[in-house]
Every structure is written in C-alpha cells, then in structure tokens.
C-alpha cells in the first residue's frame, strides 16, 4: 500500500514538474497569476479615470528604450527597469493620465513581467515623482485586501479543523459502538 502511494506521488510529481514555468504560460489546471494587491487597489480606486490609448505614444517603446516598470502610476518607486526594443506600445492598456499630466499604460505582460504600468511620457521614469496621496490610498486599500485574505484563511483553517474534530469524534463513537456490539 505504501509503495502504491509513493508511486502515485512520484507520477504526479513527474506530471507537474515539466509544466511550463514561464510567466506567460498557464498550464491546464494551474491557477493563473494575479496582479499585486497594490495594482488591483489602484484599478479599483482610479479605474474611473482610465482613458483610451493616445496614438502619439505609439512609438514610445520602439527603442532600445530603458523602461521602468511600476506597480501603479504614482508609486513611491519602480519595481525594476528593462530595455524595451520594438515593443508596440499601442497594444498596452488601459491607460491613465496622472495629476502631473504624465501618460501611463498598463501591461499585463511585457518581457517576463506581469501586471505593471509604464509611464509612456517618460519610459525611463527619471521625471516620475511619487504621488503621496495616491500612495496612501492605494496602500491603505491593499492592506484592507490583505487583511481580508488573512481573515478568510483563518476562517477556512478553523472550519477545516472543526470538520476534522467532528469526524474524529464520530469515528471514535462508531468504533466504541462496534466494540460493544461485537
């Protein structure tokens, strides 16, 4: 019995290991990646201000262009920088114009990075200033989401523990009755 279980675990492991590990591929049955809480919070809070792509930025990433990636427009700091070359900026979206008039575009996937924003007015991000009001609102909302997620995990764990405890009690009572009857 133990050998069969071990064989099943090994077979399942072999099935999972070769599954695609690239950021742009989701294997069947795999949960798709999700944006960071801050990125989602920004969309919730500022989604009403999203705009259509401005065609004047079509060639913004033709490059090679050093490009900063951000969790959301107005964030305190960029996630990283990369060199974009020949990237069709008009395929990005939704777009947003921040309080400084800078034009931003959302990339669900770019060069191995998911769910990021690019300031097309200044792809390198040298003139991008953090917007403290945006940072505070987004961070507060992201903290609320994380807190709600923790509460859900704790509730799920308590429910699972309760089901296990009730099942164990029922098994023990059933075992006791079987012994008394036999």
């Amino acid at each position: 019995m133990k050998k069969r279980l071990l064989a099943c675990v090994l077979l399942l492991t072999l099935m999972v290991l070769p599954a695609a590990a690239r950021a742009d591929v989701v294997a069947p049955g795999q949960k798709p990646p999700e944006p960071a809480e801050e990125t989602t919070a920004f969309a919730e809070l500022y989604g009403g201000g999203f705009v259509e792509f401005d065609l004047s930025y079509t060639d913004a990433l033709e490059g090679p262009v050093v490009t900063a990636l951000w969790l959301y427009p107005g964030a305190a700091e960029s996630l990283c920088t990369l060199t974009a070359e020949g990237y069709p900026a008009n395929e990005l979206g939704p777009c947003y114009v921040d309080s400084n008039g800078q034009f931003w575009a959302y990339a669900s996937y770019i060069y191995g990075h998911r769910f990021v924003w690019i300031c097309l007015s200044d792809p390198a991000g040298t003139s991008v200033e953090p917007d403290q009001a945006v940072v505070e609102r987004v961070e507060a909302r992201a903290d609320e989401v994380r807190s709600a997620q923790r509460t859900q995990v704790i509730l799920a764990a308590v429910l699972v523990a309760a089901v296990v405890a009730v099942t164990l009690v029922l098994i023990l009572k059933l075992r006791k009755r079987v012994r008394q009857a036999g």
Side-chain angles (χ1 to χ4, degrees):
M1 182 69 179
K2 288 183 180 181
K3 288 182 181 180
R4 283 187 191 170
L5 181 62
L6 181 61
C8 287
V9 169
L10 287 173
L11 284 173
L12 286 172
T13 304
L14 290 174
M15 287 174 47
V16 172
L17 283 179
R22 293 181 14 211
D24 62 336
V25 176
V26 177
Q30 177 185 5
K31 181 180 175 192
E34 296 179 8
E37 286 85 2
E38 291 82 2
T39 304
T40 304
F42 180 83
E44 288 176 15
L45 296 168
Y46 295 95
F50 288 175
V51 297
E52 293 295 318
F53 185 82
D54 184 341
L55 294 176
S56 64
Y57 293 102
T58 301
D59 299 330
L61 301 177
E62 281 300 311
V65 178
V66 173
T67 307
L69 304 179
W70 307 78
L71 279 178
Y72 57 92
E77 58 186 32
S78 66
L79 292 171
C80 64
T81 58
L82 53 83
T83 301
E85 186 168 0
Y87 195 87
N90 59 336
E91 292 182 9
L92 300 172
C95 300
Y96 180 77
V97 178
D98 68 14
S99 60
N100 295 323
Q102 293 182 308
F103 189 78
W104 295 78
Y106 179 76
S108 58
Y109 179 81
I110 181 169
Y111 299 127
H113 299 275
R114 285 191 164 276
F115 314 119
V116 293
W117 286 85
I118 299 169
C119 180
L120 295 179
S121 302
D122 177 15
T126 55
S127 68
V128 174
E129 293 290 325
D131 186 331
Q132 200 56 41
V134 171
V135 170
E136 287 173 7
R137 285 189 72 200
V138 168
E139 295 297 326
R141 178 65 185 132
D143 287 343
E144 289 172 10
V145 169
R146 280 190 281 273
S147 176
Q149 289 171 342
R150 279 191 299 271
T151 301
Q152 288 176 344
V153 167
I154 291 169
L155 180 60
V158 168
L159 288 174
V160 167
V163 168
V164 167
V166 168
T167 303
L168 184 61
V169 167
L170 291 174
I171 289 172
L172 291 174
K173 283 186 176 188
L174 183 62
R175 194 180 260 180
K176 185 177 179 182
R177 284 187 185 169
V178 168
R179 284 185 186 158
Q180 289 175 350

